[in-house]
Amino acid sequence: WYQRRVREAVVSTQSTGLDDIVDLEKRFYEEGYKSGHLFGFSEGKKDGHVLGYKQGALVAMEIKSYESFANCLLQQQNLNSYRIEKSLETLRDLCKNFLFENTDDLLERFNVINSKHKQVKSLLNKQMERKSPGTADLTF
């Protein structure tokens, strides 16, 4: 009876020791996963913030360049076209009233401004083509 009890204790100790090792490995894996996930999340947030900040600055620079483009051309008195003048005023107003907030229609509003800028450039190119070479008053 005593020998059997010792044998059972040894077997249970061995199985408990092995279970502890397996549990220890599992626990280390779970702790490592959690700490790695938290680290990745915090670093990803920082990287995302930096990327968003840079992209926002690029959008702002582009919109402000469109606004400056419109203001410079509107100051000239020789546009000779009501349509160009109105398109430039619309472009300037769109740029002035652009909300730099992260909303669902941000990209759509930016594309409207970009399209208006392309339209104005197209109108200006058509006006330049109608004039004879060497007499262009508008330069870029």
Side-chain angles (χ1 to χ4, degrees):
W1 176 80
Y2 177 74
Q3 287 179 350
R4 193 178 69 174
R5 186 79 175 140
V6 169
R7 221 177 294 140
E8 287 176 3
V10 169
V11 170
S12 69
T13 304
Q14 286 176 348
S15 66
T16 304
L18 189 59
D19 289 342
D20 288 343
I21 292 172
V22 171
D23 287 342
L24 183 65
E25 183 180 0
K26 183 178 177 183
R27 191 177 78 217
F28 281 147
Y29 175 78
E30 288 173 356
E31 287 176 8
Y33 176 81
K34 286 177 185 175
S35 66
H37 185 267
L38 289 174
F39 177 76
F41 183 74
S42 66
E43 289 299 310
K45 247 183 151 174
K46 290 176 191 172
D47 290 345
H49 178 75
V50 169
L51 178 66
Y53 186 78
K54 287 180 180 178
Q55 293 299 318
L58 290 174
V59 167
M61 283 177 35
E62 190 166 350
I63 289 176
K64 290 303 175 181
S65 71
Y66 293 164
E67 185 178 356
S68 298
F69 171 79
N71 284 332
C72 286
L73 290 176
L74 284 170
Q75 288 176 358
Q76 294 184 2
Q77 299 299 323
N78 57 353
L79 289 175
N80 300 329
S81 172
Y82 179 77
R83 186 173 178 196
I84 292 175
E85 189 175 336
K86 284 300 172 186
S87 293
L88 285 168
E89 288 173 359
T90 303
L91 176 63
R92 182 188 60 197
D93 292 341
L94 285 171
C95 291
K96 276 186 181 179
N97 298 326
F98 187 80
L99 296 175
F100 289 97
E101 294 178 5
N102 195 9
T103 59
D104 293 338
D105 64 340
L106 178 74
L107 186 59
E108 182 180 323
R109 289 183 289 127
F110 178 71
N111 287 336
V112 167
I113 292 174
N114 198 10
S115 298
K116 182 56 82 172
H117 179 254
K118 288 179 181 178
Q119 178 192 17
V120 168
K121 283 181 21 181
S122 174
L123 290 171
L124 288 171
N125 283 338
K126 288 179 183 176
Q127 182 187 31
M128 298 296 284
E129 288 172 5
R130 278 190 239 132
K131 292 185 177 186
S132 61
T135 62
D137 294 322
L138 295 175
T139 57
F140 301 100

